[in-house]
Coordinates of all heavy atoms in Angstrom, one line a residue:
M1 N 88.3 -104.8 -34.6 CA 89.6 -104.4 -34.2 C 89.7 -104.6 -32.6 O 88.8 -104.3 -31.9 CB 89.9 -102.9 -34.5 CG 91.2 -102.5 -34.2 SD 91.5 -101.0 -35.1 CE 92.1 -100.0 -33.8
E2 N 90.7 -105.2 -32.2 CA 90.9 -105.5 -30.7 C 91.4 -104.3 -30.0 O 92.1 -103.5 -30.5 CB 91.9 -106.7 -30.5 CG 91.4 -108.0 -31.1 CD 92.3 -109.1 -30.8 OE1 93.1 -109.0 -29.8 OE2 92.4 -110.1 -31.6
N3 N 90.9 -104.2 -28.7 CA 91.3 -103.1 -27.9 C 92.4 -103.5 -27.0 O 92.2 -103.9 -25.8 CB 90.1 -102.6 -27.1 CG 90.4 -101.3 -26.3 OD1 91.5 -100.7 -26.5 ND2 89.5 -101.0 -25.4
K4 N 93.7 -103.5 -27.4 CA 94.8 -104.0 -26.7 C 95.5 -102.8 -26.1 O 95.7 -101.7 -26.7 CB 95.8 -104.8 -27.5 CG 95.3 -106.1 -28.0 CD 96.3 -106.9 -28.7 CE 95.8 -108.2 -29.1 NZ 96.8 -109.0 -29.7
K5 N 96.0 -102.9 -24.8 CA 96.7 -101.9 -24.2 C 98.2 -102.0 -24.5 O 98.7 -103.2 -24.6 CB 96.5 -101.9 -22.7 CG 95.2 -101.5 -22.2 CD 95.1 -101.5 -20.7 CE 93.7 -101.0 -20.3 NZ 93.6 -101.0 -18.8
S6 N 98.9 -100.9 -24.6 CA 100.3 -101.0 -24.8 C 101.0 -101.4 -23.5 O 100.4 -101.3 -22.5 CB 100.9 -99.7 -25.3 OG 100.8 -98.7 -24.3
Y7 N 102.3 -101.8 -23.6 CA 103.1 -102.2 -22.5 C 103.1 -101.0 -21.5 O 103.0 -101.2 -20.3 CB 104.5 -102.6 -22.9 CG 105.4 -103.0 -21.8 CD1 105.2 -104.2 -21.1 CD2 106.4 -102.1 -21.3 CE1 106.0 -104.5 -20.0 CE2 107.2 -102.4 -20.3 CZ 107.0 -103.6 -19.6 OH 107.8 -103.9 -18.6
T8 N 103.3 -99.8 -22.0 CA 103.4 -98.6 -21.2 C 102.1 -98.4 -20.4 O 102.1 -98.1 -19.2 CB 103.7 -97.4 -22.0 OG1 104.9 -97.6 -22.8 CG2 103.9 -96.1 -21.2
E9 N 101.0 -98.5 -21.1 CA 99.7 -98.3 -20.4 C 99.5 -99.4 -19.3 O 99.0 -99.1 -18.3 CB 98.6 -98.4 -21.4 CG 98.5 -97.2 -22.4 CD 97.5 -97.4 -23.5 OE1 97.3 -98.6 -23.9 OE2 97.0 -96.4 -24.0
M10 N 99.9 -100.6 -19.6 CA 99.7 -101.7 -18.6 C 100.6 -101.4 -17.4 O 100.2 -101.6 -16.3 CB 100.1 -103.0 -19.2 CG 99.0 -103.5 -20.2 SD 99.2 -105.2 -20.8 CE 100.9 -105.6 -20.8
M11 N 101.8 -100.9 -17.6 CA 102.8 -100.6 -16.5 C 102.2 -99.4 -15.7 O 102.3 -99.5 -14.5 CB 104.2 -100.3 -17.1 CG 104.8 -101.5 -17.7 SD 104.9 -102.9 -16.6 CE 106.0 -102.4 -15.3
K12 N 101.7 -98.4 -16.4 CA 101.1 -97.3 -15.6 C 99.9 -97.7 -14.8 O 99.8 -97.3 -13.6 CB 100.6 -96.2 -16.6 CG 101.7 -95.4 -17.2 CD 101.2 -94.3 -18.1 CE 102.2 -93.5 -18.8 NZ 101.7 -92.6 -19.8
A13 N 99.1 -98.6 -15.3 CA 97.9 -99.1 -14.6 C 98.4 -99.9 -13.4 O 97.8 -99.8 -12.3 CB 97.0 -99.9 -15.5
S14 N 99.4 -100.7 -13.6 CA 99.9 -101.6 -12.5 C 100.5 -100.7 -11.4 O 100.3 -100.9 -10.2 CB 101.0 -102.5 -13.1 OG 101.6 -103.2 -12.0
A15 N 101.3 -99.7 -11.8 CA 101.9 -98.8 -10.8 C 100.8 -98.0 -10.0 O 100.9 -97.9 -8.8 CB 102.8 -97.8 -11.5
M16 N 99.7 -97.6 -10.7 CA 98.6 -96.9 -10.0 C 97.9 -97.9 -9.0 O 97.6 -97.5 -7.9 CB 97.6 -96.3 -11.0 CG 98.2 -95.2 -11.8 SD 98.7 -93.8 -10.8 CE 97.2 -93.3 -10.1
T17 N 97.8 -99.1 -9.4 CA 97.1 -100.1 -8.5 C 98.0 -100.3 -7.3 O 97.5 -100.3 -6.1 CB 96.9 -101.4 -9.2 OG1 96.1 -101.2 -10.4 CG2 96.3 -102.5 -8.3
R18 N 99.3 -100.5 -7.4 CA 100.2 -100.6 -6.3 C 100.2 -99.4 -5.4 O 100.2 -99.5 -4.2 CB 101.6 -100.9 -6.8 CG 101.9 -102.3 -7.3 CD 103.3 -102.6 -7.5 NE 104.1 -101.6 -8.3 CZ 104.2 -101.7 -9.6 NH1 103.7 -102.6 -10.3 NH2 104.9 -100.8 -10.2
K19 N 100.1 -98.2 -6.0 CA 100.1 -97.0 -5.2 C 98.8 -96.9 -4.4 O 98.9 -96.6 -3.2 CB 100.2 -95.8 -6.1 CG 100.3 -94.5 -5.4 CD 100.4 -93.3 -6.3 CE 100.3 -92.0 -5.5 NZ 100.4 -90.8 -6.3
R20 N 97.7 -97.3 -5.0 CA 96.4 -97.2 -4.2 C 96.5 -98.3 -3.1 O 96.0 -98.0 -2.0 CB 95.3 -97.5 -5.2 CG 94.7 -96.3 -5.9 CD 93.5 -96.6 -6.6 NE 93.8 -96.4 -8.0 CZ 93.8 -97.3 -9.0 NH1 93.3 -98.5 -8.7 NH2 94.1 -97.0 -10.2
N21 N 97.0 -99.4 -3.3 CA 97.1 -100.5 -2.3 C 98.0 -100.0 -1.2 O 97.7 -100.3 0.0 CB 97.6 -101.8 -2.9 CG 96.6 -102.5 -3.7 OD1 95.4 -102.2 -3.6 ND2 97.0 -103.4 -4.6
A22 N 99.1 -99.3 -1.5 CA 100.0 -98.8 -0.4 C 99.3 -97.8 0.4 O 99.4 -97.7 1.6 CB 101.3 -98.3 -1.1
E23 N 98.6 -96.9 -0.3 CA 97.8 -95.8 0.4 C 96.8 -96.5 1.4 O 96.6 -96.0 2.5 CB 97.2 -94.9 -0.5 CG 98.2 -94.0 -1.2 CD 97.6 -93.1 -2.3 OE1 96.4 -93.3 -2.7 OE2 98.3 -92.3 -2.9
K24 N 96.1 -97.5 0.9 CA 95.1 -98.2 1.8 C 95.8 -98.8 3.0 O 95.3 -98.7 4.1 CB 94.4 -99.3 1.0 CG 93.4 -98.8 0.0 CD 92.7 -100.0 -0.7 CE 91.7 -99.5 -1.7 NZ 91.1 -100.6 -2.5
S25 N 97.0 -99.4 2.8 CA 97.7 -100.0 3.9 C 98.1 -98.9 4.9 O 98.0 -99.2 6.1 CB 99.0 -100.7 3.4 OG 98.6 -101.8 2.6
V26 N 98.6 -97.8 4.5 CA 99.0 -96.7 5.4 C 97.8 -96.2 6.1 O 97.8 -96.0 7.4 CB 99.7 -95.6 4.6 CG1 99.9 -94.4 5.5 CG2 101.0 -96.1 4.1
L27 N 96.7 -96.1 5.4 CA 95.4 -95.6 6.1 C 94.9 -96.6 7.1 O 94.5 -96.2 8.2 CB 94.3 -95.4 5.0 CG 93.0 -94.8 5.5 CD1 93.2 -93.5 6.2 CD2 92.0 -94.7 4.3
E28 N 95.0 -97.9 6.8 CA 94.6 -98.9 7.7 C 95.5 -98.9 9.0 O 95.0 -99.0 10.1 CB 94.7 -100.3 7.1 CG 93.5 -100.5 6.1 CD 93.7 -101.8 5.3 OE1 94.7 -102.5 5.5 OE2 92.8 -102.1 4.4
I29 N 96.8 -98.7 8.8 CA 97.7 -98.6 9.9 C 97.4 -97.4 10.8 O 97.3 -97.5 12.0 CB 99.2 -98.6 9.5 CG1 99.6 -99.9 8.8 CG2 100.1 -98.2 10.6 CD1 100.9 -99.9 8.1
Y30 N 97.1 -96.3 10.2 CA 96.8 -95.1 10.9 C 95.5 -95.2 11.7 O 95.4 -94.9 12.8 CB 96.7 -93.9 9.9 CG 96.4 -92.6 10.5 CD1 97.3 -92.0 11.3 CD2 95.1 -92.0 10.4 CE1 97.1 -90.8 12.0 CE2 94.9 -90.7 11.0 CZ 95.8 -90.1 11.8 OH 95.6 -88.9 12.4
I31 N 94.5 -95.8 11.1 CA 93.2 -96.1 11.8 C 93.4 -97.0 13.0 O 92.9 -96.8 14.0 CB 92.1 -96.6 10.8 CG1 91.7 -95.5 9.8 CG2 90.9 -97.2 11.6 CD1 90.9 -96.1 8.6
D32 N 94.2 -98.0 12.8 CA 94.5 -99.0 13.8 C 95.2 -98.3 15.0 O 94.9 -98.5 16.2 CB 95.4 -100.1 13.3 CG 95.5 -101.3 14.3 OD1 94.4 -101.7 14.8 OD2 96.6 -101.7 14.5
M33 N 96.2 -97.4 14.7 CA 96.9 -96.6 15.7 C 95.9 -95.7 16.5 O 96.0 -95.7 17.7 CB 98.0 -95.8 15.1 CG 99.2 -96.6 14.6 SD 100.4 -95.6 13.7 CE 100.7 -94.2 14.7
L34 N 95.0 -95.1 15.8 CA 94.1 -94.2 16.4 C 93.2 -95.0 17.4 O 92.9 -94.5 18.5 CB 93.2 -93.5 15.4 CG 93.9 -92.3 14.7 CD1 93.0 -91.7 13.6 CD2 94.2 -91.2 15.7
L35 N 92.7 -96.1 16.9 CA 91.8 -97.0 17.8 C 92.6 -97.4 19.0 O 92.0 -97.3 20.1 CB 91.3 -98.2 17.0 CG 90.3 -97.9 15.9 CD1 89.9 -99.1 15.1 CD2 89.0 -97.3 16.5
H36 N 93.8 -97.9 18.9 CA 94.6 -98.4 20.0 C 94.8 -97.2 21.0 O 94.8 -97.4 22.2 CB 95.8 -99.0 19.6 CG 95.6 -100.4 19.0 ND1 95.3 -101.5 19.8 CD2 95.7 -100.9 17.8 CE1 95.1 -102.6 19.1 NE2 95.4 -102.3 17.9
E37 N 95.2 -96.1 20.4 CA 95.4 -94.9 21.3 C 94.2 -94.5 22.1 O 94.2 -94.2 23.3 CB 95.9 -93.7 20.4 CG 96.2 -92.5 21.2 CD 97.4 -92.6 22.2 OE1 98.3 -93.4 21.9 OE2 97.4 -91.9 23.2
S38 N 93.0 -94.6 21.4 CA 91.8 -94.2 22.1 C 91.4 -95.2 23.2 O 91.1 -94.8 24.3 CB 90.6 -94.2 21.0 OG 89.4 -94.0 21.7
I39 N 91.6 -96.5 22.9 CA 91.4 -97.5 23.9 C 92.3 -97.4 25.1 O 91.9 -97.5 26.3 CB 91.5 -98.9 23.3 CG1 90.4 -99.2 22.3 CG2 91.5 -100.0 24.3 CD1 90.5 -100.4 21.4
L40 N 93.6 -97.1 24.8 CA 94.6 -97.0 25.9 C 94.3 -95.8 26.7 O 94.3 -95.8 28.0 CB 96.0 -96.8 25.3 CG 97.1 -96.6 26.2 CD1 97.3 -97.7 27.2 CD2 98.4 -96.3 25.5
S41 N 93.9 -94.7 26.1 CA 93.6 -93.4 26.8 C 92.3 -93.7 27.7 O 92.3 -93.3 28.9 CB 93.3 -92.3 25.8 OG 92.9 -91.2 26.5
T42 N 91.3 -94.3 27.2 CA 90.1 -94.6 28.0 C 90.4 -95.5 29.1 O 90.0 -95.3 30.3 CB 89.1 -95.3 27.1 OG1 88.8 -94.4 26.0 CG2 87.8 -95.5 27.8
R43 N 91.3 -96.5 28.9 CA 91.6 -97.4 30.0 C 92.4 -96.7 31.1 O 92.1 -96.9 32.3 CB 92.4 -98.6 29.4 CG 92.7 -99.7 30.4 CD 93.3 -100.9 29.6 NE 93.8 -101.8 30.6 CZ 94.7 -102.8 30.3 NH1 95.2 -102.8 29.1 NH2 95.1 -103.6 31.3
K44 N 93.4 -95.9 30.7 CA 94.1 -95.2 31.7 C 93.3 -94.2 32.5 O 93.4 -94.1 33.7 CB 95.3 -94.4 31.0 CG 96.4 -95.3 30.6 CD 97.5 -94.5 30.0 CE 98.2 -93.6 31.0 NZ 99.4 -92.9 30.4
N45 N 92.4 -93.5 31.8 CA 91.5 -92.6 32.5 C 90.6 -93.3 33.5 O 90.4 -92.8 34.6 CB 90.6 -91.8 31.5 CG 91.4 -90.7 30.8 OD1 92.4 -90.3 31.3 ND2 91.0 -90.3 29.6
K46 N 90.1 -94.5 33.1 CA 89.2 -95.3 34.0 C 90.1 -95.7 35.2 O 89.6 -95.7 36.4 CB 88.6 -96.5 33.3 CG 87.7 -97.3 34.2 CD 87.1 -98.4 33.5 CE 86.1 -99.2 34.3 NZ 86.2 -99.2 35.7
L47 N 91.3 -96.2 35.0 CA 92.1 -96.6 36.1 C 92.4 -95.4 37.1 O 92.4 -95.6 38.3 CB 93.5 -97.1 35.6 CG 93.5 -98.6 35.2 CD1 94.8 -98.9 34.5 CD2 93.3 -99.5 36.4
L48 N 92.7 -94.3 36.5 CA 93.0 -93.1 37.4 C 91.7 -92.7 38.2 O 91.9 -92.4 39.4 CB 93.4 -91.9 36.5 CG 94.8 -92.0 35.9 CD1 95.0 -90.9 34.9 CD2 95.9 -92.1 36.9
K49 N 90.5 -92.8 37.6 CA 89.3 -92.5 38.4 C 89.1 -93.6 39.5 O 88.7 -93.3 40.6 CB 88.1 -92.5 37.5 CG 88.0 -91.2 36.7 CD 86.8 -91.2 35.7 CE 86.9 -90.0 34.9 NZ 85.7 -90.0 33.9
D50 N 89.4 -94.9 39.1 CA 89.2 -95.9 40.1 C 90.3 -95.8 41.2 O 90.0 -96.1 42.4 CB 89.3 -97.3 39.4 CG 88.1 -97.6 38.5 OD1 87.1 -96.9 38.6 OD2 88.2 -98.6 37.7
I51 N 91.5 -95.4 40.9 CA 92.5 -95.2 41.9 C 92.0 -94.0 42.9 O 92.2 -94.2 44.1 CB 93.9 -94.8 41.3 CG1 94.4 -96.1 40.6 CG2 94.8 -94.2 42.3 CD1 95.6 -95.8 39.7
D52 N 91.5 -93.0 42.3 CA 91.0 -91.9 43.2 C 89.9 -92.4 44.1 O 89.8 -92.0 45.3 CB 90.5 -90.7 42.3 CG 91.6 -89.9 41.7 OD1 92.8 -90.0 42.1 OD2 91.3 -89.2 40.7
A53 N 89.0 -93.2 43.5 CA 87.9 -93.7 44.3 C 88.4 -94.6 45.5 O 87.9 -94.6 46.6 CB 86.9 -94.5 43.5
A54 N 89.4 -95.4 45.1 CA 90.0 -96.3 46.1 C 90.7 -95.5 47.2 O 90.6 -95.9 48.4 CB 91.1 -97.3 45.5
L55 N 91.3 -94.4 46.9 CA 91.9 -93.5 47.9 C 90.8 -92.9 48.8 O 91.0 -92.8 50.0 CB 92.7 -92.4 47.2 CG 94.1 -92.8 46.7 CD1 94.7 -91.7 45.9 CD2 95.0 -93.2 47.8
D56 N 89.7 -92.5 48.1 CA 88.6 -91.9 48.9 C 88.1 -92.9 49.9 O 87.7 -92.5 51.0 CB 87.5 -91.4 48.0 CG 88.0 -90.2 47.1 OD1 89.0 -89.5 47.5 OD2 87.3 -89.9 46.1
C57 N 88.0 -94.1 49.5 CA 87.4 -95.2 50.3 C 88.5 -95.8 51.3 O 88.2 -96.7 52.1 CB 86.8 -96.3 49.5 SG 85.4 -95.8 48.5
K58 N 89.7 -95.3 51.1 CA 90.8 -95.8 51.9 C 91.0 -97.4 51.8 O 91.3 -98.1 52.8 CB 90.6 -95.4 53.4 CG 90.7 -94.0 53.6 CD 90.5 -93.6 55.0 CE 90.7 -92.2 55.2 NZ 90.2 -91.1 55.5
D59 N 90.8 -97.8 50.5 CA 90.9 -99.3 50.2 C 92.3 -99.5 49.7 O 92.6 -99.4 48.5 CB 89.9 -99.7 49.2 CG 89.8 -101.2 48.9 OD1 90.8 -101.9 49.3 OD2 88.9 -101.6 48.3
E60 N 93.2 -99.8 50.6 CA 94.7 -100.0 50.2 C 94.9 -101.1 49.3 O 95.7 -101.0 48.3 CB 95.5 -100.2 51.5 CG 97.0 -100.2 51.2 CD 97.8 -100.4 52.4 OE1 97.3 -100.2 53.6 OE2 99.0 -100.7 52.3
T61 N 94.2 -102.2 49.4 CA 94.4 -103.4 48.6 C 94.0 -103.0 47.1 O 94.8 -103.3 46.2 CB 93.5 -104.6 49.1 OG1 93.8 -104.8 50.4 CG2 93.8 -105.8 48.3
L62 N 92.8 -102.4 47.0 CA 92.4 -102.0 45.6 C 93.3 -101.0 45.0 O 93.7 -101.0 43.8 CB 90.9 -101.5 45.7 CG 90.3 -101.1 44.3 CD1 90.3 -102.3 43.4 CD2 88.9 -100.6 44.5
F63 N 93.7 -100.0 45.8 CA 94.7 -99.0 45.4 C 96.0 -99.6 44.9 O 96.4 -99.3 43.8 CB 95.0 -98.0 46.5 CG 96.1 -97.1 46.2 CD1 95.8 -96.0 45.4 CD2 97.4 -97.3 46.7 CE1 96.8 -95.1 45.1 CE2 98.4 -96.4 46.3 CZ 98.1 -95.3 45.5
M64 N 96.5 -100.6 45.6 CA 97.8 -101.2 45.2 C 97.6 -102.0 43.9 O 98.4 -101.9 43.0 CB 98.3 -102.1 46.3 CG 98.7 -101.4 47.6 SD 99.9 -100.1 47.2 CE 101.4 -101.0 46.9
K65 N 96.5 -102.7 43.8 CA 96.2 -103.5 42.6 C 96.0 -102.5 41.3 O 96.6 -102.8 40.3 CB 94.9 -104.3 42.8 CG 94.4 -105.0 41.6 CD 93.1 -105.7 41.8 CE 92.5 -106.4 40.6 NZ 91.6 -105.5 39.9
L66 N 95.3 -101.5 41.5 CA 95.1 -100.5 40.4 C 96.3 -99.8 40.0 O 96.6 -99.6 38.8 CB 94.0 -99.6 40.7 CG 92.6 -100.2 40.9 CD1 91.6 -99.1 41.4 CD2 92.1 -100.8 39.6
T67 N 97.1 -99.4 41.0 CA 98.4 -98.7 40.6 C 99.4 -99.6 39.9 O 100.1 -99.2 39.1 CB 99.0 -98.0 41.9 OG1 99.2 -99.0 42.9 CG2 98.2 -96.9 42.4
E68 N 99.3 -100.9 40.3 CA 100.2 -101.9 39.7 C 99.8 -102.0 38.2 O 100.6 -102.1 37.3 CB 100.1 -103.2 40.4 CG 101.3 -104.1 40.2 CD 102.6 -103.5 40.5 OE1 102.8 -102.8 41.5 OE2 103.5 -103.7 39.6
E69 N 98.5 -102.1 37.9 CA 98.0 -102.1 36.6 C 98.4 -100.9 35.8 O 98.8 -101.1 34.6 CB 96.4 -102.2 36.5 CG 95.8 -103.6 36.5 CD 94.3 -103.5 36.4 OE1 93.8 -103.1 35.3 OE2 93.6 -103.9 37.3
L70 N 98.3 -99.8 36.4 CA 98.7 -98.5 35.7 C 100.2 -98.5 35.4 O 100.6 -98.1 34.3 CB 98.3 -97.3 36.5 CG 98.5 -95.9 35.9 CD1 97.8 -95.8 34.6 CD2 98.2 -94.9 36.9
K71 N 101.0 -99.0 36.3 CA 102.4 -99.1 36.1 C 102.7 -100.0 34.9 O 103.6 -99.7 34.1 CB 103.2 -99.7 37.3 CG 103.3 -98.7 38.4 CD 104.1 -99.4 39.5 CE 104.0 -98.7 40.9 NZ 104.6 -99.5 42.0
E72 N 102.0 -101.2 34.8 CA 102.3 -102.1 33.7 C 101.9 -101.5 32.4 O 102.6 -101.7 31.4 CB 101.4 -103.4 34.0 CG 101.9 -104.3 35.1 CD 101.0 -105.5 35.4 OE1 100.2 -105.8 34.5 OE2 101.2 -106.0 36.5
I73 N 100.8 -100.8 32.4 CA 100.4 -100.1 31.1 C 101.5 -99.1 30.7 O 101.9 -99.0 29.6 CB 99.0 -99.4 31.3 CG1 97.9 -100.5 31.3 CG2 98.8 -98.4 30.1 CD1 96.6 -99.9 31.6
N74 N 102.0 -98.3 31.7 CA 103.0 -97.3 31.4 C 104.3 -98.0 30.9 O 104.9 -97.4 30.0 CB 103.3 -96.4 32.6 CG 102.1 -95.5 32.9 OD1 101.4 -95.1 32.0 ND2 102.0 -95.1 34.1
I75 N 104.6 -99.1 31.5 CA 105.8 -99.8 31.0 C 105.7 -100.4 29.6 O 106.5 -100.2 28.8 CB 106.2 -100.9 32.0 CG1 106.7 -100.2 33.4 CG2 107.3 -101.8 31.5 CD1 106.9 -101.2 34.5
C76 N 104.5 -101.0 29.4 CA 104.3 -101.7 28.1 C 104.2 -100.7 27.0 O 104.7 -101.0 25.9 CB 103.0 -102.5 28.2 SG 103.1 -104.0 29.1
Y77 N 103.5 -99.6 27.2 CA 103.2 -98.6 26.1 C 104.1 -97.4 26.2 O 103.9 -96.5 25.4 CB 101.7 -98.3 26.1 CG 100.9 -99.5 25.8 CD1 100.2 -100.1 26.9 CD2 100.8 -100.0 24.6 CE1 99.4 -101.2 26.6 CE2 100.0 -101.1 24.3 CZ 99.3 -101.7 25.4 OH 98.6 -102.9 25.1
G78 N 105.0 -97.3 27.2 CA 105.9 -96.2 27.2 C 105.2 -94.8 27.4 O 105.6 -93.9 26.8
T79 N 104.1 -94.8 28.2 CA 103.4 -93.6 28.4 C 103.6 -93.0 29.7 O 104.2 -93.6 30.6 CB 101.9 -93.8 28.2 OG1 101.4 -94.8 29.2 CG2 101.5 -94.3 26.9

């Protein structure tokens, strides 16, 4: 005797597969967002520390360069 699935069983299995794939996609997007946020936060913190160091050393050229980078990041990412 053959083990055939009914149409209903096949549709349920298909729906569950689609649901699992959608959940994976959302999870991947969430992980990607977390990674980008972490990288952005680290980059901004480093820039802020470097800006403080440039101020301490009274290096106007470096200060202007770093603040310009920080402005670009704030404009691009709306932070």
Side-chain angles (χ1 to χ4, degrees):
M1 189 161 125
E2 292 183 28
N3 187 11
K4 290 186 178 182
K5 291 184 177 181
S6 69
Y7 178 76
T8 304
E9 289 171 332
M10 289 188 331
M11 292 306 293
K12 283 181 184 177
S14 176
M16 290 303 293
T17 301
R18 284 193 308 271
K19 183 179 177 185
R20 274 188 246 118
N21 288 340
E23 287 172 356
K24 284 182 185 177
S25 295
V26 170
L27 183 59
E28 288 171 359
I29 291 169
Y30 182 67
I31 290 169
D32 192 50
M33 286 172 52
L34 284 175
L35 288 173
H36 283 292
E37 180 66 27
S38 176
I39 291 168
L40 177 62
S41 177
T42 302
R43 187 172 172 201
K44 283 181 69 174
N45 286 336
K46 183 176 181 338
L47 275 172
L48 290 171
K49 285 179 184 178
D50 291 345
I51 288 169
D52 287 342
L55 283 171
D56 291 341
C57 296
K58 297 181 175 119
D59 187 345
E60 185 178 347
T61 308
L62 182 59
F63 172 78
M64 295 304 289
K65 178 183 172 267
L66 294 172
T67 53
E68 201 56 44
E69 266 186 67
L70 186 59
K71 283 183 200 175
E72 288 175 18
I73 288 173
N74 287 335
I75 290 169
C76 287
Y77 297 102
T79 57

